[in-house]
Amino acid sequence: MIVNEPKRGTTYHFPDFSPAQRGALLYIQRVQVETEGFLSGLDVEFSPGLNVIIGARGTGKTSLIELIRYCLGAGAFTEDAANRGRQQAVAILEGGAVTVTMRDGDSSFLVTRSASGHVTTTGTRQPTCTVLAQNEVEAVGAQAAGRLHLIDRFRANRDETAKMMSNLLAHVRSLTTEILAILNDGGRLSEQIASMSAVTADLDEARKHQQQLLDNARATEDQQLRLLSLQQDSQRLALRESVVDQSESSVESLAGALTRLASDASSVLQTWPADDQDDPLTGARFLLADVERLLNTSLTRLAEVRNSLQAARNETAQRQVQVDEASRQLRQSLEELQAGIGLTTRRVVELEEYQGQLFALQNRLSERTDRLRSVSAQRDSVQLKAEELRDQVYSDRLAIVRELNRTLAPAIRIRLAKSENLEAYRSTIVAALRGSGLHYNSLAPMLAQAAAPHEVVSWVEQNNATELGGAIGISPDRASSIIAALRAGGTPDIIASTVEDGVTLELLDGQEFKASDRLSIGQRCTTVLPILLGHHGDPLIVDQPEDHLDNAFIASTLVSALQSRQPSDQFIFSSHNANIPVLGGANRVLVMNSDGDRGYLTHAGDLDAPEIIAAVTDIMEGGERAFATRAAFYRNETVSRR
């Protein structure tokens, strides 16, 4: 029984939030099933307005609805409903296919999907519709994602916005991956540089000692200048060798990435069925072949780069041999003048080479630092665009919620909270920390609640344990452990995780509003159905919307919403309740039956057609005798109360 439902007879007049979708009437005109499975050979037609599918249980009403969802890729409000619906559709097809004809203004197009998932279409417009399975209506009110989806049905261009956001977040994730690689590379370079920090001081000391020995030996000015020149040559050659080493490493990384891309390119487009000679992807395959050729050409060029680097390495090695030989001869001459000068000179040469390597590492670190600034600036720019898009989406949702509240008051109230749903964000942190040995189930909620994804990633990238620890009230040492775990590769997913707006649906129960997740199933349906029926544009398909609702609510509020439909609306309901087709003024009624092995259509037509009247009476009212008995009972009750 419904408690404090909306006022009986209330008529909701919903505004059209999606004018872009109302230009040409798009509706489901026909559904055909191939000669396989329980509904083999089924061929049904629908009309604009209210279509009601009736029939005994087990005749295929739900299966027909799930085939429409499956063919059009309509999705679901809950993951569970999506999985169950897909499984049912595939089982019903038994290897066959279903075709849906969509009417688009004055023209029509076909969408066909096989049990294996292959989709073909003759149209260019993306068909959109909303499908709710039995028991899915109440799940909408119980789950955060379902409630948000309910509001988003009113948003124009929601699919385009979702694609834009997906592309922006993919770009952010890619840039963050690069930043992570730069930071890791920079960390290794810093460690190497730190390990060589004493080179400069050691070299200065060795040079002083060398100069003392040269002065004692009374080496000529030419000998000293020659020695200095050879030592400088050794340092330059060491620098060149280090540059070649790092360049070869970078080239190998690039070659590996290009090899993977070239390998993936050939499988980007699916092979066209052998029995279909008309491949519409031929042009795309030629273009993709060009991409593959360019990638292979790039790999060939990289091989030439490798050869150039090897040539530079060989030349450097040859020059080093020459410098080493000249240095050896000069050291021998100087050793004859002063004992120990040869060993000291050799030490200076070694330290000069180390310093050359140090210079190369410092240059590389400077390049990495510059690249980090550049990539970080790019990411900031993309993140700003994503935030602006989120703000626009929130603004659109807020306008929808305000208008719905105006329309549904006082019985139903909707609240919208910006960036309130942390579930996906929290799950991403858990996944990033799993296997680290940390208590991620307790840390993830704290971190998600305390800071936005970009803040967490910023702390990780800057190794800022103080800020992170302070945000969630833990010690810097423990925060450092979190940073180390996230720096292992979790930051790209974290920064691209979605923090969605939160939607709360509330029903007036007595003197207070109760949130939909605290309501009974019937109350939840009472809250959700008026909102579902208020959207104009997309076809709405619901399996047994009367479930969990009392007849009073159906006869007043639900029927009232159906009677208020606009010419552009298409509703397809399966139902066991006669009030829906009769009081709702169904434009078309479809009667399903079954012989146990196959479900089929027996009648389809207007509500006042004789065979439809007979079917509604027999199936939904229990037959003429039962209908007459109830009618007599209600007449007698009315007379007795007077």
Side-chain angles (χ1 to χ4, degrees), residues 21 26 128-130 153 158 535-540 568-571:
Q21 300 172 355
L26 180 68
T128 56
C129 68
T130 299
R153 290 186 68 242
R158 59 186 180 273
H535 177 259
H536 307 294
D538 297 345
L540 175 64
S568 60
D569 292 337
Q570 184 186 44
F571 300 139

mmCIF file of all heavy atoms in Angstrom, residues 21 26 128-130 153 158 535-540 568-571:
data_model
loop_
_atom_site.group_PDB
_atom_site.id
_atom_site.type_symbol
_atom_site.label_atom_id
_atom_site.label_comp_id
_atom_site.label_asym_id
_atom_site.label_seq_id
_atom_site.Cartn_x
_atom_site.Cartn_y
_atom_site.Cartn_z
ATOM 1 N N GLN A 21 15.970 17.104 -29.356
ATOM 2 C CA GLN A 21 15.533 15.747 -29.637
ATOM 3 C C GLN A 21 14.097 15.703 -30.150
ATOM 4 O O GLN A 21 13.558 14.636 -30.387
ATOM 5 C CB GLN A 21 15.651 14.902 -28.365
ATOM 6 C CG GLN A 21 17.071 14.823 -27.836
ATOM 7 C CD GLN A 21 17.125 14.155 -26.489
ATOM 8 O OE1 GLN A 21 16.113 13.835 -25.902
ATOM 9 N NE2 GLN A 21 18.329 13.941 -25.999
ATOM 10 N N LEU A 26 11.083 10.462 -33.463
ATOM 11 C CA LEU A 26 11.837 9.216 -33.566
ATOM 12 C C LEU A 26 11.161 8.198 -32.666
ATOM 13 O O LEU A 26 11.070 8.399 -31.455
ATOM 14 C CB LEU A 26 13.287 9.437 -33.127
ATOM 15 C CG LEU A 26 14.195 8.200 -33.175
ATOM 16 C CD1 LEU A 26 14.446 7.771 -34.614
ATOM 17 C CD2 LEU A 26 15.521 8.478 -32.473
ATOM 18 N N THR A 128 17.866 6.315 -29.727
ATOM 19 C CA THR A 128 17.903 6.418 -28.277
ATOM 20 C C THR A 128 16.553 6.017 -27.705
ATOM 21 O O THR A 128 15.508 6.346 -28.277
ATOM 22 C CB THR A 128 18.228 7.857 -27.831
ATOM 23 O OG1 THR A 128 17.277 8.760 -28.416
ATOM 24 C CG2 THR A 128 19.634 8.260 -28.259
ATOM 25 N N CYS A 129 16.570 5.295 -26.623
ATOM 26 C CA CYS A 129 15.348 4.953 -25.911
ATOM 27 C C CYS A 129 15.727 4.570 -24.491
ATOM 28 O O CYS A 129 16.897 4.340 -24.184
ATOM 29 C CB CYS A 129 14.590 3.810 -26.606
ATOM 30 S SG CYS A 129 15.415 2.218 -26.537
ATOM 31 N N THR A 130 14.736 4.526 -23.624
ATOM 32 C CA THR A 130 14.955 4.145 -22.228
ATOM 33 C C THR A 130 14.164 2.886 -21.955
ATOM 34 O O THR A 130 12.959 2.841 -22.221
ATOM 35 C CB THR A 130 14.517 5.265 -21.281
ATOM 36 O OG1 THR A 130 15.301 6.429 -21.555
ATOM 37 C CG2 THR A 130 14.717 4.857 -19.832
ATOM 38 N N ARG A 153 18.270 11.900 -18.239
ATOM 39 C CA ARG A 153 17.399 11.660 -19.393
ATOM 40 C C ARG A 153 16.829 12.967 -19.937
ATOM 41 O O ARG A 153 16.465 13.058 -21.109
ATOM 42 C CB ARG A 153 16.240 10.738 -19.017
ATOM 43 C CG ARG A 153 16.625 9.304 -18.743
ATOM 44 C CD ARG A 153 15.402 8.435 -18.532
ATOM 45 N NE ARG A 153 14.624 8.283 -19.743
ATOM 46 C CZ ARG A 153 13.369 8.693 -19.886
ATOM 47 N NH1 ARG A 153 12.743 9.297 -18.891
ATOM 48 N NH2 ARG A 153 12.730 8.511 -21.029
ATOM 49 N N ARG A 158 23.298 14.787 -24.080
ATOM 50 C CA ARG A 158 24.030 14.142 -22.991
ATOM 51 C C ARG A 158 25.077 13.160 -23.510
ATOM 52 O O ARG A 158 26.141 13.020 -22.916
ATOM 53 C CB ARG A 158 23.066 13.439 -22.036
ATOM 54 C CG ARG A 158 22.199 12.371 -22.670
ATOM 55 C CD ARG A 158 21.172 11.832 -21.674
ATOM 56 N NE ARG A 158 20.324 10.805 -22.247
ATOM 57 C CZ ARG A 158 19.208 11.037 -22.901
ATOM 58 N NH1 ARG A 158 18.813 12.289 -23.085
ATOM 59 N NH2 ARG A 158 18.484 10.046 -23.397
ATOM 60 N N HIS A 535 9.510 12.850 -19.079
ATOM 61 C CA HIS A 535 10.474 13.176 -20.135
ATOM 62 C C HIS A 535 9.850 12.932 -21.492
ATOM 63 O O HIS A 535 9.230 11.899 -21.733
ATOM 64 C CB HIS A 535 11.728 12.321 -19.981
ATOM 65 C CG HIS A 535 12.725 12.565 -21.081
ATOM 66 N ND1 HIS A 535 12.867 11.721 -22.153
ATOM 67 C CD2 HIS A 535 13.609 13.575 -21.273
ATOM 68 C CE1 HIS A 535 13.801 12.192 -22.955
ATOM 69 N NE2 HIS A 535 14.263 13.308 -22.438
ATOM 70 N N HIS A 536 10.019 13.889 -22.389
ATOM 71 C CA HIS A 536 9.449 13.775 -23.729
ATOM 72 C C HIS A 536 10.570 13.714 -24.755
ATOM 73 O O HIS A 536 11.496 14.507 -24.725
ATOM 74 C CB HIS A 536 8.530 14.967 -24.019
ATOM 75 C CG HIS A 536 7.484 15.170 -22.973
ATOM 76 N ND1 HIS A 536 6.471 14.269 -22.756
ATOM 77 C CD2 HIS A 536 7.302 16.167 -22.060
ATOM 78 C CE1 HIS A 536 5.697 14.703 -21.772
ATOM 79 N NE2 HIS A 536 6.189 15.846 -21.326
ATOM 80 N N GLY A 537 10.478 12.800 -25.668
ATOM 81 C CA GLY A 537 11.490 12.692 -26.729
ATOM 82 C C GLY A 537 11.874 11.253 -26.986
ATOM 83 O O GLY A 537 11.524 10.681 -28.009
ATOM 84 N N ASP A 538 12.578 10.620 -26.052
ATOM 85 C CA ASP A 538 13.000 9.234 -26.231
ATOM 86 C C ASP A 538 11.837 8.291 -25.953
ATOM 87 O O ASP A 538 11.052 8.509 -25.030
ATOM 88 C CB ASP A 538 14.131 8.878 -25.255
ATOM 89 C CG ASP A 538 15.379 9.696 -25.501
ATOM 90 O OD1 ASP A 538 15.470 10.308 -26.578
ATOM 91 O OD2 ASP A 538 16.254 9.729 -24.619
ATOM 92 N N PRO A 539 11.709 7.197 -26.726
ATOM 93 C CA PRO A 539 10.730 6.176 -26.366
ATOM 94 C C PRO A 539 11.032 5.620 -24.974
ATOM 95 O O PRO A 539 12.185 5.418 -24.612
ATOM 96 C CB PRO A 539 10.935 5.098 -27.444
ATOM 97 C CG PRO A 539 11.537 5.820 -28.606
ATOM 98 C CD PRO A 539 12.399 6.883 -28.001
ATOM 99 N N LEU A 540 9.996 5.390 -24.208
ATOM 100 C CA LEU A 540 10.127 4.821 -22.868
ATOM 101 C C LEU A 540 9.475 3.447 -22.862
ATOM 102 O O LEU A 540 8.293 3.314 -23.191
ATOM 103 C CB LEU A 540 9.455 5.723 -21.831
ATOM 104 C CG LEU A 540 9.411 5.176 -20.392
ATOM 105 C CD1 LEU A 540 10.815 5.027 -19.831
ATOM 106 C CD2 LEU A 540 8.561 6.074 -19.499
ATOM 107 N N SER A 568 4.587 13.557 -29.440
ATOM 108 C CA SER A 568 5.918 13.023 -29.748
ATOM 109 C C SER A 568 6.329 11.894 -28.823
ATOM 110 O O SER A 568 7.384 11.292 -29.009
ATOM 111 C CB SER A 568 6.966 14.137 -29.653
ATOM 112 O OG SER A 568 6.975 14.683 -28.348
ATOM 113 N N ASP A 569 5.532 11.597 -27.804
ATOM 114 C CA ASP A 569 5.882 10.548 -26.847
ATOM 115 C C ASP A 569 5.547 9.169 -27.402
ATOM 116 O O ASP A 569 4.525 8.992 -28.073
ATOM 117 C CB ASP A 569 5.120 10.736 -25.531
ATOM 118 C CG ASP A 569 5.567 11.969 -24.766
ATOM 119 O OD1 ASP A 569 6.701 12.419 -25.000
ATOM 120 O OD2 ASP A 569 4.773 12.477 -23.947
ATOM 121 N N GLN A 570 6.414 8.208 -27.075
ATOM 122 C CA GLN A 570 6.088 6.811 -27.318
ATOM 123 C C GLN A 570 6.379 6.033 -26.047
ATOM 124 O O GLN A 570 7.498 6.026 -25.549
ATOM 125 C CB GLN A 570 6.883 6.204 -28.479
ATOM 126 C CG GLN A 570 6.458 4.769 -28.774
ATOM 127 C CD GLN A 570 7.304 4.061 -29.821
ATOM 128 O OE1 GLN A 570 8.539 4.150 -29.797
ATOM 129 N NE2 GLN A 570 6.671 3.374 -30.755
ATOM 130 N N PHE A 571 5.363 5.380 -25.526
ATOM 131 C CA PHE A 571 5.498 4.502 -24.377
ATOM 132 C C PHE A 571 5.178 3.087 -24.827
ATOM 133 O O PHE A 571 4.186 2.864 -25.526
ATOM 134 C CB PHE A 571 4.539 4.898 -23.239
ATOM 135 C CG PHE A 571 4.743 6.285 -22.708
ATOM 136 C CD1 PHE A 571 3.659 7.089 -22.389
ATOM 137 C CD2 PHE A 571 6.017 6.791 -22.512
ATOM 138 C CE1 PHE A 571 3.841 8.363 -21.889
ATOM 139 C CE2 PHE A 571 6.213 8.065 -22.016
ATOM 140 C CZ PHE A 571 5.125 8.862 -21.704
#
